[in-house]
Amino acid sequence: EQTFNDRAIEAAKAEWMNAATRLRIEQVREQIVEQAAFSFDFISLLSIASILAGVGLITDNTVVIVASMLVSPIMGPVLGMTFGGRIQDWPLVKTSLLNESLALLVAIMIGAVIGLSSAFVNVAESWPTNEMQIRGEATGLYTGIAIAVPSGMGVCLSILGNNTGSLVGV
């Protein structure tokens, strides 16, 4: 049988856990808001990643395409949409969706410029490259999903565990 003192201690522990959980959620939220922001760094990394992806597709180089994924900042808005939806922070979801859409437009524009400018070089004669074909097939889509889902889980665990050094492998 619990005494009054034991119950008071248990109640205090439960309240502390609730406060600690709220504090941890707010810390994660702040980190995700920062990653989802459409800042100069975000645009710079997005531009670099888009150029790398374009060059990788043109030259049929898988390593360069993977490198573009490592540089790309677009996981920030995806995390913002996911985490914001989970904690019902709708302004975060809205901002993240807008930033993801803008990032997609910027990447498409950079890709168009790279594609158009490469038409003046001899590399366009061997198009579509194998890398281009793979990304246009259903098998490529399924493989991408099979890679993206566990990668997203890895990103989530890395951020929640404050182990962002492991994100390079994701």
Side-chain angles (χ1 to χ4, degrees), residues 2 5 17 37 56 65-66 76 86 90 99 109 120 127 151 160:
Q2 283 188 327
N5 194 27
M17 289 300 288
I65 295 170
V66 171
R86 180 64 184 101
W90 305 121
N99 291 347
M109 288 189 302
F120 301 108
W127 282 6
S151 294
L160 291 174

Side-chain angles (χ1 to χ4, degrees), residues 24 28 31 35 79 155-162 164 167:
R24 184 72 179 136
V28 170
Q31 190 175 10
Q35 291 175 0
L79 284 171
V155 168
C156 223
L157 289 172
S158 294
I159 289 175
L160 291 174
N162 203 17
T164 54
L167 288 176

Side-chain angles (χ1 to χ4, degrees), residues 32-154:
I32 289 175
V33 165
E34 185 178 310
Q35 291 175 0
F38 204 74
S39 62
F40 176 78
D41 289 348
F42 184 92
I43 295 169
S44 299
L45 288 171
L46 177 65
S47 299
I48 292 167
S50 299
I51 292 167
L52 285 172
V55 169
L57 286 171
I58 289 170
T59 60
D60 202 23
N61 191 328
T62 306
V63 174
V64 177
I65 295 170
V66 171
S68 76
M69 294 177 202
L70 295 175
V71 172
S72 175
I74 61 173
M75 184 58 86
V78 171
L79 284 171
M81 287 184 284
T82 306
F83 190 75
R86 180 64 184 101
I87 64 171
Q88 298 180 353
D89 184 348
W90 305 121
L92 175 59
V93 172
K94 183 180 175 183
T95 301
S96 298
L97 179 62
L98 175 67
N99 291 347
E100 187 73 17
S101 300
L102 290 172
L104 179 61
L105 287 174
V106 169
I108 288 172
M109 288 189 302
I110 291 173
V113 168
I114 291 172
L116 290 173
S117 63
S118 66
F120 301 108
V121 200
N122 288 337
V123 293
E125 294 173 5
S126 60
W127 282 6
T129 64
N130 186 45
E131 287 296 332
M132 292 176 186
Q133 286 178 330
I134 289 171
R135 277 148 182 76
E137 297 172 353
T139 307
L141 176 65
Y142 298 141
T143 304
I145 291 171
I147 293 169
V149 170
S151 294
M153 291 176 182

